[in-house]
């Protein structure tokens, strides 16, 4: 026989728009324990599960047929102070059929009023003279005499009570009959009751006790103030006065570490409400935020493989995005294979088409490096330091907009987008720098083979001024940089090799190079670090605040048109830090709009 062992909800507090799916642990007929559903469409040995979701929303129920929702109410009962529950009926026929009994309620109320000697005329006379005795949504009962059976005609305004009780207590309103339920705005302020029971698939009769669980009251989804795009006038982009006229077609790129559910634990983020930290809430809030930016290219980090397949890829497909994904390698990771995160790149099908994909596995690069430069006796130690499972996803896209004018109409406009998540360990600065250098050398090879604008996006886990940031932004690392002191394997020597030839510039440094200053631009400048020309922070938790996320671009082929505004720390600290009910990651999304520069003909 099928039986329910345990039921619990992912969060006690339901939120409008966020799907609720209870965790149900079942004992199957073969005595095995499983959390896989046994739906009515696929019973096992003649048994299946039945679900029901109810709301304690106050609804009127019929006084004659308490399983039916009321559609009309007798106003005479209301004024006569007849118990409210007895004034409701489900249909005009129900009211008419019950009239003899119902009239007795009026008479008893009238007798009580006569005994008091003051209220009969006030209660009944006015209704007899006006003729309006019953109201409902579109049906009223007109009475020429309070003792006659009502004739049902004439529409009037419905009147419903604020609280309704059944004969045995508060009524519950059924809102769903499936395992999952998504609260609506109608549920705000009301608690939900989930009920599950094993039933005989043929007779529909329960074969065990129903297990129920009540939620807290449904709350509306928090709605943070939308972040605006700020127009910039970057001096790097306007050296050629004819560049804006000659070029055409802008596109936007988002980079966002969305915080993997595997890392979003109450131990790490105890200041965030449990319901706001739950994945069912965060995924909806993240999707709402991401879709709201209307970016043409999305570079997301910390996307779990199961969440990519089951949620982000299908949901963003509905919004016109094609998806590409690279999961982290798993030589170090030993947990649930579905919970391994990775990098996901999405692009709008109406703006770009996919040309080629390169996958960078730093573990493979580590194997090659140790084989080439590490002594045989040191290889095991070297690999244990270098193998961190980090990856990068490089995508070559072809734009569906032209950038070449009438003199060269046939040339394809390609774009190379790198999306990466670099090693997080702060005591492995050599590994961070080596990973970034490895990625840049790979991008250099692509640049040599094609004249192509490049974007390098991601969470580099490196603050401005660090060696990885210097390599990205300056093309080299000062040989006296303090980060180079940490190199137990000698993989960074000689420091002179730590260079690249890509003309990379950080998109957000455009805020520091603005030619025209207005209130919005000045506000953004205050949220920048003047010493590094980077945002003051892109990652804000209780224990850390700083910039680790970047969008770099090749300044010889692209220019920045606008940037998504930065947030101030004070506004985030009201909730202690990120994530919060408003923002569902501990990182900020970065978004830049670019324009392709016209190629100079040589």
């Amino acid at each position: 026989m099928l039986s329910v062992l345990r039921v619990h909800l992912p969060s006690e507090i339901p939120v409008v728009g966020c799907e609720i799916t209870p965790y149900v642990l079942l004992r199957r007929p073969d005595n095995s324990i499983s959390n896989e559903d046994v739906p009515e469409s696929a019973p096992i040995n003649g048994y299946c599960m039945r679900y029901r979701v109810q709301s304690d929303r106050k609804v009127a129920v019929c006084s004659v047929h308490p399983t039916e929702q009321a559609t009309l109410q007798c106003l005479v009962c209301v004024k006569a102070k007849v118990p409210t529950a007895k004034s409701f009926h489900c249909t005009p026929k129900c009211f008419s059929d019950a009239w003899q009994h119902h009239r007795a309620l009026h008479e008893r109320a009238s007798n009580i009023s006569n005994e008091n000697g003051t209220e009969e005329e006030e209660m009944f006379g006015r209704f007899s003279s006006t003729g309006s005795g019953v109201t409902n949504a579109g049906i009223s009962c007109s009475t020429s005499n309070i003792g006659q059976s009502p004739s049902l005609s004439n529409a009037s305004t419905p009147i419903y009570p604020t609280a309704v009780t059944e004969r045995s207590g508060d009524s519950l309103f059924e809102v769903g009959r499936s395992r999952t339920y998504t609260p609506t705005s109608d549920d705000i302020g009301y608690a939900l009751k989930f009920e599950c029971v094993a039933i005989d698939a043929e007779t529909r009769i329960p074969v065990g006790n129903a297990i129920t669980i009540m939620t807290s009251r449904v709350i509306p989804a928090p709605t943070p103030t939308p972040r605006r795009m700020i127009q910039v006038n970057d001096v790097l982009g306007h050296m050629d006065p004819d560049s804006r006229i000659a070029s055409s077609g802008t596109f936007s790129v988002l980079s966002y570490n969305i915080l993997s559910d595997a890392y979003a634990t109450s131990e790490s983020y105890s200041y965030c409400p449990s319901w706001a930290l739950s994945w069912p809430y965060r995924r909806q809030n993240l999707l709402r935020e991401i879709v709201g930016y209307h970016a043409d290219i999305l570079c997301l980090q910390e996307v779990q493989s199961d969440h990519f397949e089951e949620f982000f890829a299908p949901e963003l497909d509905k919004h016109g995005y094609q998806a590409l994904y690279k999961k982290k390698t798993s030589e170090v990771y030993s947990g649930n294979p579905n919970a391994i995160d990775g990098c996901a790149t999405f692009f709008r099908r109406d703006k770009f088409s996919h040309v080629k994909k390169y996958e960078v596995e730093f573990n493979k690069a580590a194997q090659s490096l140790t084989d080439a430069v590490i002594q045989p006796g040191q290889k095991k130690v070297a690999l244990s330091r270098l193998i961190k499972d980090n990856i990068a996803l490089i995508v070559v896209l072809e734009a569906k907009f032209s950038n070449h004018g009438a003199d060269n109409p046939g040339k394809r406009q390609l774009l190379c987008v790198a999306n990466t998540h670099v090693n997080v360990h702060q005591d492995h600065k050599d590994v961070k720098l080596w990973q970034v250098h490895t990625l840049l050398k790979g991008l250099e090879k692509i640049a040599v083979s094609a004249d192509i604008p490049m974007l390098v996006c991601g969470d580099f886990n490196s603050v401005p001024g660090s060696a990885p940031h210097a390599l990205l932004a300056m093309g080299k690392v000062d040989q006296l940089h303090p980060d180079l002191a940490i190199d137990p394997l000698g993989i960074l020597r000689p420091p002179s090799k730590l260079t690249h030839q890509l003309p990379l510039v950080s998109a957000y440094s455009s805020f520091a190079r603005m030619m025209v200053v207005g209130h919005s631009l000045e506000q953004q400048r205050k949220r920048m670090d003047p010493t590094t020309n980077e945002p003051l922070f892109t990652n804000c938790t209780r224990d850390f605040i700083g910039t680790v996320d970047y969008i770099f671009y090749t300044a010889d082929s692209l220019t920045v048109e606008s940037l998504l505004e930065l947030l101030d720390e004070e506004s985030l600290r009201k909730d202690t830090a990120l994530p919060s009910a408003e923002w569902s990651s501990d990182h900020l999304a970065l978004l830049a709009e670019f324009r392709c520069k016209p190629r100079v003909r040589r």
Side-chain angles (χ1 to χ4, degrees):
M1 192 171 72
L2 186 67
S3 60
V4 182
L5 298 179
R6 184 156 56 94
V7 179
H8 76 258
L9 297 172
S11 172
E12 289 183 357
I13 301 177
V15 183
V16 170
C18 296
E19 182 182 88
I20 304 171
T21 303
Y23 174 86
V24 182
L25 192 64
L26 302 174
R27 184 185 299 278
R28 295 180 170 237
D30 62 359
N31 277 331
S32 63
I33 308 299
S34 173
N35 61 358
E36 290 188 18
D37 193 21
V38 183
E40 297 182 38
S41 59
I44 295 179
N45 292 357
Y47 300 103
C48 61
M49 293 299 300
R50 184 173 68 198
Y51 300 94
R52 184 165 66 154
V53 186
Q54 295 173 291
S55 168
D56 71 350
R57 198 185 305 168
K58 303 304 182 183
V59 292
V61 294
C62 178
S63 59
V64 180
H65 308 101
T67 60
E68 300 296 327
Q69 187 173 349
T71 63
L72 57 86
Q73 180 183 29
C74 175
L75 292 183
V76 175
C77 288
V78 175
K79 291 298 181 180
K81 298 185 180 177
V82 171
T84 306
K86 298 183 182 298
S87 67
F88 289 100
H89 293 267
C90 54
T91 65
K93 185 178 185 301
C94 168
F95 181 65
S96 184
D97 290 347
W99 176 247
Q100 294 303 320
H101 172 72
H102 192 90
R103 183 177 59 181
L105 298 177
H106 296 173
E107 291 172 351
R108 280 201 297 271
S110 177
N111 291 338
I112 293 171
S113 179
N114 286 337
E115 290 174 7
N116 293 336
T118 57
E119 299 181 357
E120 180 182 9
E121 183 177 354
E122 181 181 343
M123 285 184 180
F124 297 100
R126 182 155 46 90
F127 280 91
S128 295
S129 62
T130 60
S132 179
V134 176
T135 66
N136 77 337
I139 300 173
S140 68
C141 295
S142 300
T143 60
S144 58
N145 187 300
I146 202 66
Q148 296 177 353
S149 178
S151 72
L152 302 170
S153 62
N154 302 328
S156 65
T157 306
I159 296 178
Y160 296 112
T162 56
V164 178
T165 57
E166 287 184 288
R167 292 171 181 173
S168 59
D170 288 344
S171 64
L172 290 176
F173 179 58
E174 186 174 284
V175 293
R177 287 199 174 189
S178 65
R179 185 176 180 180
T180 62
Y181 179 68
T182 302
T184 69
S185 57
D186 291 337
D187 296 314
I188 293 174
Y190 301 111
L192 299 174
K193 177 183 177 182
F194 282 78
E195 176 184 291
C196 58
V197 63
I199 63 171
D200 185 297
E202 185 175 344
T203 65
R204 322 295 293 170
I205 297 174
V207 294
N209 294 327
I211 293 184
T212 62
I213 187 168
M214 289 291 293
T215 71
S216 298
R217 301 204 175 277
V218 176
I219 64 170
T223 51
T225 302
R227 294 168 65 186
R228 301 166 301 153
M229 293 296 288
I230 306 294
Q231 207 73 24
V232 299
N233 293 288
D234 189 348
V235 295
L236 290 182
H238 301 290
M239 302 303 288
D240 176 4
D242 298 322
S243 64
R244 289 183 67 89
I245 300 172
S247 64
S248 63
T250 61
F251 65 92
S252 54
V253 179
L254 174 83
S255 184
Y256 196 7
N257 180 327
I258 63 170
L259 179 59
S260 165
D261 183 47
Y263 307 143
T265 64
S266 56
E267 290 77 23
S268 298
Y269 305 103
S270 58
Y271 49 84
C272 183
S274 60
W275 60 266
L277 203 55
S278 70
W279 181 242
Y281 172 76
R282 290 204 309 117
R283 71 176 187 177
Q284 292 293 345
N285 203 36
L286 287 165
L287 181 66
R288 173 201 56 76
E289 181 189 358
I290 291 167
V291 169
Y293 291 134
H294 305 289
D296 299 312
I297 300 170
L298 311 174
C299 293
L300 306 182
Q301 303 88 44
E302 287 195 20
V303 181
Q304 286 185 198
S305 57
D306 54 345
H307 295 163
F308 173 79
E309 295 289 345
E310 298 168 10
F311 184 72
F312 285 109
E315 288 299 322
L316 288 169
D317 177 73
K318 297 174 186 176
H319 294 275
Y321 289 97
Q322 185 170 327
L324 297 165
Y325 183 71
K326 173 58 182 172
K327 182 168 66 174
K328 282 184 179 177
T329 46
S330 55
E331 293 181 50
V332 176
Y333 182 81
S334 59
N336 180 354
N338 290 328
I340 299 175
D341 66 281
C343 294
T345 299
F346 301 82
F347 60 89
R348 297 189 73 92
R349 297 187 199 91
D350 60 347
K351 277 288 192 87
F352 295 96
S353 57
H354 176 223
V355 176
K356 196 164 186 178
K357 179 175 81 166
Y358 302 90
E359 295 181 348
V360 179
E361 295 183 359
F362 293 115
N363 283 4
K364 287 184 178 178
Q367 291 280 0
S368 300
L369 178 68
T370 53
D371 289 344
V373 303
I374 303 296
Q375 296 297 320
Q378 297 292 314
K379 283 187 178 181
K380 187 174 181 180
V381 174
L383 288 174
S384 67
R385 185 172 183 85
L386 291 172
I387 290 181
K388 301 300 179 189
D389 289 338
N390 300 96
I391 55 89
L393 174 61
I394 303 172
V395 179
V396 177
L397 304 174
E398 180 179 358
K400 293 184 178 180
F401 53 84
S402 173
N403 184 48
H404 300 285
D407 60 336
N408 198 359
K411 188 172 175 62
R412 302 165 74 191
Q413 177 62 66
L414 298 178
L415 178 68
C416 180
V417 183
N419 180 9
T420 191
H421 190 186
V422 170
N423 179 46
V424 68
H425 299 292
Q426 295 306 310
D427 55 347
H428 285 48
K429 294 181 180 180
D430 54 326
V431 178
K432 291 178 192 284
L433 181 55
W434 168 75
Q435 288 183 351
V436 172
H437 186 246
T438 300
L439 173 61
L440 292 171
K441 286 300 174 184
L443 291 173
E444 273 190 325
K445 292 178 182 178
I446 297 173
V448 168
S449 64
D451 182 17
I452 180 169
M454 288 195 168
L455 293 162
V456 187
C457 308
D459 176 357
F460 292 84
N461 276 307
S462 303
V463 297
S466 64
H469 180 266
L471 181 60
L472 284 159
M474 306 300 294
K476 61 181 180 179
V477 181
D478 190 308
Q479 297 190 22
L480 299 178
H481 197 289
D483 284 2
L484 299 183
I486 301 174
D487 185 20
L489 302 175
I491 59 174
L492 304 180
R493 294 193 286 269
S496 58
K497 75 176 184 180
L498 300 173
T499 63
H500 69 88
Q501 301 302 313
L502 301 173
L504 295 178
V505 175
S506 174
Y508 271 79
S509 67
S510 299
F511 275 145
R513 296 189 301 272
M514 294 178 296
M515 298 169 61
V516 180
V517 177
H519 173 71
S520 295
L521 299 180
E522 192 60 37
Q523 190 179 54
Q524 294 308 301
R525 274 186 167 173
K526 291 178 180 178
R527 297 170 186 174
M528 299 285 292
D529 184 342
T531 61
T532 63
N533 287 343
E534 295 287 4
L536 289 172
F537 67 91
T538 63
N539 181 207
C540 178
T541 68
R542 182 172 50 196
D543 304 319
F544 173 81
I545 184 166
T547 293
V548 294
D549 307 274
Y550 307 93
I551 298 175
F552 284 93
Y553 67 99
T554 46
D556 64 337
S557 55
L558 297 170
T559 181
V560 179
E561 292 287 300
S562 60
L563 295 166
L564 184 65
E565 69 176 336
L566 299 167
L567 298 179
D568 64 287
E569 182 180 355
E570 183 180 355
S571 68
L572 301 180
R573 290 299 186 193
K574 72 181 192 312
D575 296 314
T576 303
L578 297 176
S580 66
E582 291 186 338
W583 307 103
S584 288
S585 174
D586 55 346
H587 292 250
L588 295 180
L590 300 181
L591 174 61
E593 181 190 24
F594 294 97
R595 185 182 295 272
C596 293
K597 289 183 179 180
R599 289 304 194 186
V600 178
R601 298 182 68 184
R602 291 183 170 84

